[in-house]
Amino acid sequence: MNRIASLAGGLMALAAALSLAGSGQARDEADTPDTPASLRAEAFEAAQWAIASDAADALAKVSARFAQGDDALGRLAEERETLLARRDALELELERLYAVQGDEGRDRRAAARTDYDAVRARLTAVDADIEARFPAYAELTSPRALTVTEAQALLKPDEALLLVLVNPEATYVWGLSQDRVEWARAEDLGETAMTEAVSRLRDSLTTAAQNRSDIDPTIFAGRPVAAFDRVEAHRLYAELIRPVESVFEGKKTLITVVTGALTTLPMAVLSTEAPTGPDGPEALAATPWLIDRYALATLPSVSSLKALRCYLVSDPALRSPGCPSSAQAAEARPAAQRPRDAGFTLAAFGAPILSGAPDYASRGAPAADSVLGEGRLADVSRLKALPYLPGSKSELEALKARYPRALVRMGAEATETAVRQGDAEALSRARFVVFSTHGLMAGSTAVEPGLVLTPPDQATEADDGYLSASEAAQLRLNAEFVVLSACNTAASDGRPGGEGLSGLARAFFYAGARSVLVSHWEVSDAATTELITASFAALDAPGADIGDRARALQSGMQAVRAHRAWTHPAFWAPFTLVGEPG
């Protein structure tokens, strides 16, 4: 942790030296110390330590679980997880005991400290044992920052990577391709300015600024839509991307790693040209967006690229050439994964039986705590009162027609029991997994975000009609692509500046997904049906690479924008692909 703190804390000092570095060709980190290139490379690593997130940890942990092919490793890994939980609990206990006065408090603190020291000592021993005997697993469970050279080696020839670190005083940007690196500093976009800029854009995409927590009527049912701030969308592009964009020349896919308020804004809505003329549908239809220039995917950390392309891979032959040596890669080979049935591609659940009228044709719904019952279970009557989703049914029917052997559960069959029990085996073999339903955000209480399924007559621990994030995390998937075709599935709350890529996205990474399609605001039922069906049509179009999710999403967005009524980004841009782009 001292190394992490010193690198992150030293970023501002490094930035002063980096201002002398300018831009240019990437050079090896072994160059003479304190050259512009070496400082730029060191700052690239420092930025990664500052970006650590729960979603990145989820990718590392699921990769580690897939790497458990040895009984001894499995036992050590299980003990390590138990020790980590015990350590965290003892830390909280020690904090609480400092409020206990007198001899009792002193004695109890001493006992807790003894237990804490013993747990830490055993954890250190287990980590040392794992590192000595299973080095690949050790790297997965405690990922380190990648050097510029390591990150470049993991990129494909037609890919580039954008790393954006928002700091209080400025924002730092790196652009990488296989053979080039550029660095820039956005002086006018410190943390406060960035949050304000993102808030202005989101105000025209959602009604968050009006303190509405239920639905967003302004973007549905043909009602007037707030003018999208094209000036701000272009300013963010001009200050964050254009200074390093020469690195991306000729690339088809751009992988982004962003922080702060940017985690709540799909990069697709940035405009690559300054706006002209009055606002309106025609102006939006003519606007060149970043999604037109690149297929986009986002990662919670740069190190996630290594987890996805070296360890969370079903076929060792598909590993990136930039992965560790063959001996280390062989050690991490997933031994327990089930082979997929070549004819079984997709498992989908949705269009639950609900009695509420679809007043705004939205897949939005109240916060999760509004459907909570007296205990931990959801209130079945409240779930049943949520609006019915006709577009969800159409979406799933289109997928069933495209994949005749697919497992598609709609209506009465789309239950939590089916997902967690009856169809668990099929879910573990599916290449694509889709949930098309209402997504509920975490509320003001401790209630988790989750997905609505057909409610039972009576709620039980096994089935209350609500698949929470922790329940989703317990699924066992081997899916290349999980689609959460619902509202607000990207983050725990939607507020700029809050941690992004949490909640449901993190849960499905834990479950075994290599990429997850999530939304940043309440989505139009009809527009989302078009986007999802068009994206899957692009996935298996003649000549297409069926694994290229980022380009498929790019095609889906373009299909939605082709409708004049849906030119506003509120309709076509809510979804972001998190994870492996393809």
Side-chain angles (χ1 to χ4, degrees), residues 332-566:
R333 182 170 297 122
Q337 283 182 289
R338 299 180 179 87
R340 290 193 187 94
D341 178 349
F344 182 66
T345 302
L346 180 139
F349 302 82
I353 295 178
L354 305 170
S355 60
D359 294 336
Y360 298 103
S362 163
R363 296 188 190 179
D369 52 2
S370 68
V371 299
L372 185 68
E374 292 184 1
R376 297 181 303 165
L377 304 180
D379 185 313
V380 170
S381 63
R382 295 178 185 177
L383 283 181
K384 289 181 177 180
L386 292 174
Y388 174 66
L389 297 171
S392 177
K393 185 172 185 291
S394 299
E395 179 182 315
L396 294 176
E397 288 174 340
L399 290 176
K400 177 65 175 177
R402 180 165 294 280
Y403 302 103
R405 293 191 59 192
L407 170 71
V408 178
R409 301 296 193 196
M410 295 180 284
E413 295 183 339
T415 65
E416 188 179 358
T417 297
V419 172
R420 299 175 61 191
Q421 299 178 30
D423 294 323
E425 172 68 18
L427 269 173
S428 71
R429 294 186 290 111
R431 186 174 192 178
F432 305 140
V433 173
V434 177
F435 287 91
S436 181
T437 182
H438 287 296
L440 275 59
M441 295 174 63
S444 58
T445 65
V447 184
E448 302 175 61
L451 300 169
V452 176
L453 295 165
T454 294
D457 292 333
Q458 183 174 349
T460 65
E461 289 285 348
D463 188 345
D464 62 352
Y466 186 65
L467 184 70
S468 67
S470 61
E471 291 168 337
Q474 295 171 29
L475 300 175
R476 286 297 174 258
L477 305 180
N478 186 17
E480 293 182 6
F481 192 26
V482 171
V483 176
L484 304 183
S485 184
C487 295
N488 301 312
T489 52
S492 55
D493 54 28
R495 296 173 300 172
E499 183 192 355
L501 305 180
S502 58
L504 284 170
R506 182 177 64 215
F508 280 95
F509 280 131
Y510 269 119
R514 297 187 70 233
S515 61
V516 183
L517 190 67
V518 293
S519 61
H520 288 271
W521 54 79
E522 295 176 8
V523 299
S524 161
D525 192 31
T528 300
T529 297
E530 175 72 15
L531 186 144
I532 299 302
T533 54
S535 295
F536 274 97
L539 270 178
D540 59 358
D545 179 355
I546 197 170
D548 200 341
R549 282 83 75 185
R551 293 183 202 173
L553 178 59
Q554 182 185 41
S555 296
M557 289 182 178
Q558 291 167 347
V560 174
R561 285 167 48 200
H563 296 261
R564 187 181 183 280
W566 294 340

Side-chain angles (χ1 to χ4, degrees), residues 45-392:
E45 294 180 57
Q48 293 175 65
W49 288 121
I51 291 176
S53 72
D54 284 346
D57 178 67
L59 274 172
K61 291 296 176 59
V62 71
S63 299
R65 175 169 61 78
F66 275 47
Q68 292 181 29
D70 184 283
D71 288 343
L73 172 58
R75 288 192 295 271
L76 285 170
E78 184 176 0
E79 182 180 3
R80 184 178 189 273
E81 290 300 311
T82 301
L83 288 168
L84 287 171
R86 179 61 177 158
R87 181 201 62 186
D88 293 345
L90 285 168
E91 285 179 350
L92 293 174
E93 177 70 5
L94 280 167
E95 291 177 8
R96 187 183 67 81
L97 287 175
Y98 277 110
V100 180
Q101 303 296 319
D103 292 343
E104 179 189 1
R106 183 178 62 254
D107 293 343
R108 292 174 63 185
R109 285 193 297 274
R113 171 62 67 178
T114 298
D115 290 345
Y116 178 73
D117 291 342
V119 168
R120 287 194 60 187
R122 180 55 189 161
L123 183 59
T124 299
V126 169
D127 282 342
D129 196 5
I130 290 175
E131 187 168 1
R133 298 166 60 190
F134 309 100
Y137 184 91
E139 183 172 319
L140 283 166
T141 51
S142 302
R144 62 176 179 82
L146 300 185
T147 65
V148 166
T149 300
E150 288 171 331
Q152 289 176 317
L154 291 168
L155 292 172
K156 299 175 183 178
D158 63 350
E159 291 178 338
L161 183 142
L162 176 74
L163 171 63
V164 182
L165 176 65
V166 181
N167 258 21
E169 84 293 349
T171 290
Y172 300 89
V173 183
W174 287 262
L176 278 76
S177 62
Q178 280 191 341
D179 58 354
R180 295 196 62 194
V181 58
E182 296 272 6
W183 174 88
R185 171 185 164 106
E187 299 279 355
D188 298 330
L189 283 175
E191 187 174 19
T192 299
M194 181 70 77
T195 299
E196 291 174 350
V198 171
S199 295
R200 283 193 290 272
L201 288 176
R202 283 187 60 92
D203 283 353
S204 58
L205 297 167
T206 72
T207 52
Q210 301 173 28
N211 297 318
R212 292 292 299 274
S213 61
D214 48 351
I215 52 176
D216 184 359
T218 65
I219 67 172
F220 306 115
R223 300 189 179 196
V225 180
F228 184 72
D229 195 337
R230 293 182 294 150
V231 172
E232 196 67 82
H234 176 67
R235 182 172 82 94
L236 289 182
Y237 161 80
E239 296 195 28
L240 298 178
I241 297 177
R242 190 164 60 191
V244 300
E245 196 167 16
S246 61
V247 172
F248 310 154
E249 184 176 358
K251 308 305 178 187
K252 295 180 179 179
T253 300
L254 181 61
I255 301 169
T256 65
V257 178
V258 301
T259 62
L262 283 175
T263 62
T264 69
L265 185 75
M267 301 295 279
V269 303
L270 302 190
S271 172
T272 57
E273 292 183 10
T276 58
D279 292 322
E282 291 77 13
L284 289 173
T287 297
W289 306 99
L290 190 66
I291 192 64
D292 297 325
R293 193 167 288 183
Y294 312 103
L296 297 171
T298 189
L299 291 175
S301 70
V302 178
S303 65
S304 297
L305 195 62
K306 188 172 186 178
L308 287 165
R309 294 188 169 174
C310 297
Y311 304 112
L312 192 54
V313 180
S314 58
D315 183 353
L318 299 177
R319 287 194 174 91
S320 167
C323 291
S325 65
S326 58
Q328 203 173 31
E331 173 211 320
R333 182 170 297 122
Q337 283 182 289
R338 299 180 179 87
R340 290 193 187 94
D341 178 349
F344 182 66
T345 302
L346 180 139
F349 302 82
I353 295 178
L354 305 170
S355 60
D359 294 336
Y360 298 103
S362 163
R363 296 188 190 179
D369 52 2
S370 68
V371 299
L372 185 68
E374 292 184 1
R376 297 181 303 165
L377 304 180
D379 185 313
V380 170
S381 63
R382 295 178 185 177
L383 283 181
K384 289 181 177 180
L386 292 174
Y388 174 66
L389 297 171
S392 177

